[in-house]
Amino acid sequence: MGVSDGISRAARGKIDDVNPKRILVVGAGHVGLYAALRLSKKLSRREAEVIVVDPQPHMTYQPFLPEASAGNISPRHAVVPLRRELRKCTVVAGTVTRIDHDRKTAIVQPISGPTREIQYDHVVVAPGSVSRTLPIPGLHEQGIGFKTIGEAIFLRNHVLDRLDVAAATTDPEVRRRALTFCFVGGGYAGIEALAEMEDMARDALRYYPELEPKDMRWVLVEATQRVLPEVDRDMGAYTVQQLLKRDMDIRLDTRLESCVDGVVKLSDGDSFPADTIVWTAGVKPSPMLDATDFPRDERRRVTCLPTLQVVDGDRVIEGAWSAGDCAAVPDLTKEPGNFCSPSAQHAVRQAARMADNIANVVRGREPVDYKHKHAGSVASLGLHKGVAQVYGVKMTGWPAWFMHRTYHMSRIPSFNRKVRVVVDWSLAFFLKREVVALGQLHDPREEFVEASAPVGAAR
Ligand SMILES: Cc1cc2nc3c(=O)[nH]c(=O)nc-3n(C[C@H](O)[C@H](O)[C@H](O)COP(=O)(O)OP(=O)(O)OC[C@H]3O[C@@H](n4cnc5c(N)ncnc54)[C@H](O)[C@@H]3O)c2cc1C
């Protein structure tokens, strides 16, 4: 059994003449960070204490992952340090492994050491989502997702490293395989990742006299007949056109069937070896929800009321709140039966509504419904290229790209991050893009292990 937090509700009531409510925030992503920040500003310490648990020391602003991957902004500036932002909260570096809401208790596995048990009055369930994969042979061994800063930076180093491999080899097969990059899934994450990476690699080729842009093969595999389902069909078609103009290989209505040993086999019968297979074909709610007693819908999301309270049929689960990618939140701007899409746009707004509602309930007031009409989407297709549809207004090219940047700059939390991102972009305006691979970061001990090996040991 783990170590308890040591202070039970009753005991605390005796220690203090007030009994602040304990609010446990599970996950410090778009929902968790914004909710914790607002709760800690709205409620005094006499009213509530906010505990935030996340295994990462930072919130990742995921819409900036493609830009970080392409080297347009520093990876450090696409994340927001929790301890700096959440000064009034208690931050626990760990993973919530179980929630027993009947007992209002969560089990936390700190990043090291024994488990802890944390009791709470309110819980914000916001562990987000993970890549939704399929049982495709070879995918587990060969694929990589695009949801974390680690994946984005690994991919950047990997793509640049493949250029080095291709330039150094004399074997045409090795070169072809190194220069084949396959992305599966044409939502905004997949399209932006593909377009930004290709843009970066094309830029980098100016330093590789051995290689030409036509040596690279960038493949997008999408199971439906269109890309970017978040925008209208014509905008999706425009995006495909732009990618085709850049000689990308766009396979719509096609599925990845296998990629054993890096040999990609598609449902259209084509097959080719690729050193890079990126899976961006959707998300599913965090599997940690399986270790909770919260009600879920058929897509395994936590069922919520528009107030963001967890609900089981007609029964409101007192003290339980959820939002973001892991939650089924009714979309009140559409017909009944529709739910908010998994997007940062909803996540941050839901977080604010939820924090206000928790504050209301703590103060004995009624919670209010969340209602936001999805404004649309903005996507970058590489430097100075983009596509946007916001409140019905459609934009392409430079204006769309500019809008993408200004929108996300206004959204990333904290003044500090906004300034750093703008400085990165401004520097890139005057200086050429950094295209060096720091692949050594992924195996930093290799050289030391070799140097310190006992004399005579196999090398
Ligand atoms: C590449 C990419 C680009 C995107 N671009 C856009 C865009 O342009 N516009 C847009 O609206 N949306 C975009 N999105 C989607 C958007 O980022 C997500 O919808 C949003 O992050 C969801 O917020 P969340 O708080 O639910 O989850 P997250 O932000 O993912 O946060 C979940 C947090 O929970 C933590 N966690 C997980 N499990 C546990 C556990 N057991 N215990 C404790 N903590 C845990 C994680 O470490 C993480 O910090 C993009 C996503 C990606 C991947």
Side-chain angles (χ1 to χ4, degrees):
M1 173 40 81
V3 176
S4 137
D5 65 352
I7 310 175
S8 70
R9 317 282 70 228
R12 197 144 23 113
K14 282 180 194 147
I15 294 166
D16 311 326
D17 45 356
V18 289
N19 190 4
K21 299 290 179 200
R22 181 177 286 175
I23 304 170
L24 175 67
V25 179
V26 179
H30 287 69
V31 170
L33 177 88
Y34 276 97
L37 202 53
R38 198 162 169 117
L39 281 165
S40 64
K41 282 182 184 160
K42 286 213 130 192
L43 295 170
S44 70
R45 285 183 201 275
R46 291 171 70 87
E47 288 176 296
E49 64 166 324
V50 182
I51 302 178
V52 181
V53 184
D54 198 299
Q56 302 299 331
H58 55 73
M59 173 259 196
T60 303
Y61 190 75
Q62 290 174 352
F64 272 154
L65 289 181
E67 290 233 35
S69 196
N72 297 332
I73 56 176
S74 158
R76 284 193 308 281
H77 303 160
V79 301
V80 181
L82 298 184
R83 285 182 184 273
R84 181 192 285 173
E85 285 311 306
L86 300 175
R87 299 240 178 123
K88 292 186 184 166
C89 305
T90 303
V91 177
V92 177
T95 304
V96 173
T97 54
R98 176 164 292 279
I99 301 175
D100 181 353
H101 190 68
D102 270 352
R103 295 195 310 128
K104 293 203 169 169
T105 302
I107 306 293
V108 176
Q109 174 60 64
I111 46 178
S112 180
T115 56
R116 288 171 63 175
E117 205 176 275
I118 299 183
Q119 293 184 327
Y120 58 79
D121 299 291
H122 293 266
V123 64
V124 171
V125 184
S129 56
V130 296
S131 293
R132 187 187 60 219
T133 55
L134 297 169
I136 294 174
L139 184 61
H140 177 72
E141 296 78 18
Q142 305 291 330
I144 181 164
F146 197 80
K147 268 191 68 63
T148 66
I149 192 73
E151 288 170 333
I153 301 316
F154 170 83
L155 199 59
R156 166 185 171 71
N157 288 326
H158 174 76
V159 167
L160 291 169
D161 179 64
R162 293 301 94 185
L163 300 187
D164 286 325
V165 167
T169 186
T170 52
D171 183 335
E173 281 310 310
V174 172
R175 172 181 285 205
R176 198 166 305 129
R177 185 181 172 115
L179 293 181
T180 302
F181 308 97
C182 182
F183 286 66
V184 187
Y188 46 68
I191 292 289
E192 285 194 312
L194 167 79
E196 288 281 4
M197 298 284 19
E198 190 269 352
D199 200 53
M200 177 198 71
R202 188 179 282 267
D203 219 17
L205 285 193
R206 75 174 85 179
Y207 307 112
Y208 291 83
E210 308 87 341
L211 306 176
E212 289 186 52
K214 69 173 172 48
D215 295 332
M216 297 193 295
R217 183 174 180 194
W218 293 83
V219 187
L220 175 72
V221 181
E222 164 55 47
T224 68
Q225 288 176 341
R226 58 164 306 186
V227 301
L228 294 180
E230 303 81 10
V231 294
D232 285 352
R233 278 188 177 274
D234 56 337
M235 302 304 274
Y238 166 86
T239 304
V240 170
Q241 264 174 20
Q242 295 305 306
L243 301 180
L244 288 172
K245 272 192 198 161
R246 286 156 63 176
D247 285 333
M248 293 194 211
D249 185 349
I250 311 295
R251 309 286 180 104
L252 301 181
D253 222 353
T254 308
R255 292 179 318 279
L256 174 68
E257 295 214 316
S258 107
C259 54
V260 175
D261 297 331
V263 177
V264 173
K265 289 194 175 147
L266 301 180
S267 58
D268 62 6
D270 199 4
S271 170
F272 50 85
D275 274 351
T276 311
I277 299 165
V278 187
W279 182 264
T280 53
V283 294
K284 64 179 181 188
S286 167
M288 75 77 53
L289 297 172
D290 294 342
T292 70
D293 49 0
F294 295 120
R296 320 266 292 279
D297 72 355
E298 69 292 346
R299 289 164 67 176
R300 313 303 293 148
R301 298 173 297 187
V302 177
T303 47
C304 292
L305 288 175
T307 53
L308 305 157
Q309 288 163 297
V310 177
V311 68
D312 190 2
D314 294 336
R315 188 172 63 94
V316 177
I317 311 283
E318 189 257 326
W321 306 78
S322 189
D325 284 8
C326 72
V329 179
D331 185 343
L332 297 185
T333 68
K334 295 185 177 160
E335 296 295 308
N338 283 290
F339 294 91
C340 298
S341 59
S343 66
Q345 196 181 130
H346 278 303
V348 297
R349 287 172 173 84
Q350 288 171 351
R353 181 71 266 152
M354 183 204 288
D356 290 355
N357 281 348
I358 295 175
N360 280 353
V361 169
V362 166
R363 291 171 178 165
R365 300 192 200 124
E366 285 301 308
V368 175
D369 284 352
Y370 169 78
K371 186 173 179 182
H372 166 69
K373 187 166 170 43
H374 196 258
S377 284
V378 287
S380 160
L381 301 178
L383 215 49
H384 307 152
K385 305 176 252 313
V387 55
Q389 185 175 337
V390 180
Y391 293 119
V393 179
K394 298 176 182 179
M395 271 180 271
T396 56
W398 196 91
W401 171 80
F402 186 71
M403 179 147 195
H404 156 85
R405 282 204 159 177
T406 42
Y407 173 77
H408 286 304
M409 196 271 291
S410 73
R411 286 284 146 193
I412 190 167
S414 95
F415 180 69
N416 180 300
R417 256 40 200 171
K418 292 186 205 303
V419 172
R420 287 177 190 271
V421 166
V422 171
V423 168
D424 282 347
W425 285 338
S426 309
L427 277 178
F429 207 67
F430 298 107
L431 306 172
K432 289 199 172 68
R433 191 201 304 243
E434 276 296 352
V435 286
V436 63
L438 290 180
Q440 217 176 22
L441 285 178
H442 306 295
D443 196 0
R445 293 195 65 245
E446 188 186 1
E447 188 174 323
F448 182 76
V449 167
E450 197 170 318
S452 59
V455 179
R459 294 195 166 197

